Amino acid sequence: MRVEKKVISNLTKCYAIAPLTYQGEPHFLVAAEKVDKCLLFDADGNEKDVVWSEPGGVMTMVQVPDSDGQFLATHRFYSPNDSKEAKIVIATPIEKGNWEIRTLVDLPFVHRFDILVRNGVKYLIACALKSDHEYKEDWRFPGKVYAAVLPDDLSGFDEKHQLSLTVIKDNMLKNHGYYRTEENGVPCSIISSDNGVFLFTPPESAEGEWTIEELISDAASDAVLVDFDEDGERELAVLTPFHGDTIRFYKKKDGVFKLDYEFEEKREFLHSLYGGMLCGKPVLVTGHRKGQRDLMMFTYNKEKGAYEMECIDKDCGSANIYHYVKDGKDMLVSTNREIDEAALYTITE
């Protein structure tokens, strides 16, 4: 594996990343966890615009489907201990240097969210890390998962006219992990908490109910489904526990996920996660934010019947990762939060 690294920004406490199709071209967004900017880059990693300068507190950004550059984002989630004023906002491009920002919904402690489209209906699914707190590290109030049908026209929403949400699952302690996946062509959500890892499937119609399946009951910070050994059935890769130090791979046996492999090295504060294809192989890429702060890639060696790890970067403290392909080359964007660096990696064999 050959890695070429390009530092594209020194954004303070950079955290969130999202793809964005804008003016017919692929772009991506990078935004800060603390009070700092949201930046727009082209696919080569060139900065093209400043979407906002503050308030920051951005955990998640997701493009509104079928839009030209419109996206939703969390604002004011500065940490698990400072997120009572968190909300989801709508960002709409007007012209270069001018983006309209309006409130979609106030949602304290909202950490992850997504927009899933099934049978032409857009569903918003939003995950609150907790429900309340009264002091630092107060975890007495478990988080929840909310959902709503997202209208095609978002122009009517603002601070005084907000989207109504419905709780579809509660009692989700340390409700941290989110990853989009597909089951039989239907977009789904993998949501991880201290209570386990769950697969959420949107209803077939706007009047229907969400389906929720427990994949494992073990505590998890994040998880992803990938067929690492290429036997036709996906394995579950898990970072555990909340902001934890352990990487596990679960394999289905008799229809139930069972622990198959645990990485022998402990890596403090595991956080970033990508699961999918890279250089023609199914991989798990993850980074941790304390200790060595490495960005690592895991693959399954079929000849040895074992998982193997390679290091992509060292001492970077990756918070989130986004993968895309450009001109036939695999690209990874990493928000290396702990060194205030957004980096673009070109990965080749």
Side-chain angles (χ1 to χ4, degrees):
M1 177 179 65
R2 183 183 175 193
V3 179
E4 295 178 22
K5 179 180 179 180
K6 174 185 177 183
V7 177
I8 59 172
S9 178
N10 293 112
L11 185 63
T12 304
K13 297 294 180 280
C14 55
Y15 185 94
I17 317 169
L20 190 77
T21 301
Y22 179 45
Q23 296 179 341
E25 297 293 332
H27 293 74
F28 60 86
L29 300 156
V30 173
E33 175 179 348
K34 302 303 181 182
V35 178
D36 212 330
K37 300 171 185 174
C38 172
L39 302 174
L40 177 72
F41 295 88
D42 66 19
D44 291 313
N46 302 306
E47 184 179 324
K48 306 304 287 186
D49 207 355
V50 177
V51 180
W52 61 70
S53 295
E54 55 180 56
V58 185
M59 297 289 103
T60 304
M61 299 178 286
V62 179
Q63 179 154 10
V64 176
D66 304 320
S67 73
D68 180 26
Q70 187 180 59
F71 67 98
L72 306 184
T74 47
H75 271 186
R76 300 186 184 276
F77 187 112
Y78 300 114
S79 77
N81 296 304
D82 184 9
S83 49
K84 269 193 173 184
E85 295 182 356
K87 60 172 65 180
I88 300 175
V89 301
I90 309 161
T92 307
I94 307 300
E95 60 188 4
K96 185 174 175 63
N98 182 14
W99 295 66
E100 179 191 61
I101 311 298
R102 286 179 289 111
T103 298
L104 176 68
V105 59
D106 291 321
L107 186 55
F109 310 101
V110 61
H111 182 255
R112 301 294 191 202
F113 71 85
D114 201 358
I115 304 168
L116 304 180
V117 181
R118 185 176 187 188
N119 295 330
V121 180
K122 300 183 183 79
Y123 298 95
L124 178 74
I125 182 168
C127 309
L129 182 68
K130 56 174 77 169
S131 298
D132 198 1
H133 68 194
E134 297 175 356
Y135 51 84
K136 192 172 182 179
E137 299 303 319
D138 182 3
W139 294 103
R140 294 173 300 155
F141 307 93
K144 301 176 183 180
V145 180
Y146 300 81
V149 172
L150 193 67
D152 291 330
D153 182 5
L154 302 181
S155 62
F157 294 108
D158 56 30
E159 191 70 38
K160 295 181 179 179
H161 307 87
Q162 300 192 12
L163 181 68
S164 178
L165 302 176
T166 300
V167 175
I168 57 173
K169 186 168 177 59
D170 58 11
N171 198 36
M172 300 280 282
L173 181 63
K174 298 179 179 177
N175 183 24
H176 179 267
Y178 182 90
Y179 210 96
R180 186 192 297 180
T181 189
E182 274 196 7
E183 286 284 325
N184 302 314
V186 177
C188 307
S189 306
I190 302 170
I191 296 176
S192 305
S193 70
D194 264 19
N195 306 82
V197 178
F198 301 85
L199 185 71
F200 286 68
T201 305
E204 290 188 32
S205 67
E207 298 76 29
E209 300 290 327
W210 285 74
T211 302
I212 305 171
E213 176 189 355
E214 182 186 278
L215 301 181
I216 58 171
S217 59
D218 299 346
S221 192
D222 285 273
V224 65
L225 284 165
V226 175
D227 184 7
F228 293 104
D229 59 12
E230 299 182 288
D231 68 348
E233 187 159 51
R234 295 188 292 177
E235 287 74 50
L236 184 69
V238 175
L239 311 181
T240 181
F242 172 67
H243 285 174
D245 62 2
T246 302
I247 301 165
R248 290 176 175 167
F249 293 84
Y250 292 75
K251 190 167 181 62
K252 253 190 181 177
K253 296 173 184 176
D254 300 321
V256 178
F257 281 106
K258 300 288 187 182
L259 182 60
D260 185 52
Y261 169 72
E262 182 174 302
F263 185 46
E264 61 275 9
E265 298 179 26
K266 297 298 182 182
R267 296 301 181 111
E268 195 177 1
F269 206 154
L270 289 160
H271 203 278
S272 62
L273 187 69
Y274 164 67
M277 300 303 290
L278 189 69
C279 297
K281 298 179 293 188
V283 305
L284 174 77
V285 178
T286 183
H288 62 114
R289 290 169 47 186
K290 289 185 179 179
Q292 305 101 304
R293 304 191 301 192
D294 293 340
L295 185 61
M296 304 167 286
M297 180 180 78
F298 289 82
T299 53
Y300 185 80
N301 187 319
K302 285 185 273 191
E303 291 182 3
K304 295 181 180 178
Y307 286 93
E308 297 177 336
M309 188 273 278
E310 290 182 78
C311 212
I312 294 173
D313 196 8
K314 292 182 176 293
D315 196 25
C316 56
S318 173
N320 285 293
I321 317 168
Y322 164 58
H323 167 265
Y324 63 100
V325 177
K326 183 179 187 298
D327 300 331
K329 293 183 178 180
D330 285 272
M331 318 292 286
L332 290 175
V333 185
S334 175
T335 46
N336 296 333
R337 178 194 181 279
E338 307 312 316
I339 58 173
D340 299 331
E341 172 190 272
L344 179 61
Y345 300 88
T346 303
I347 315 288
T348 52
E349 283 283 14

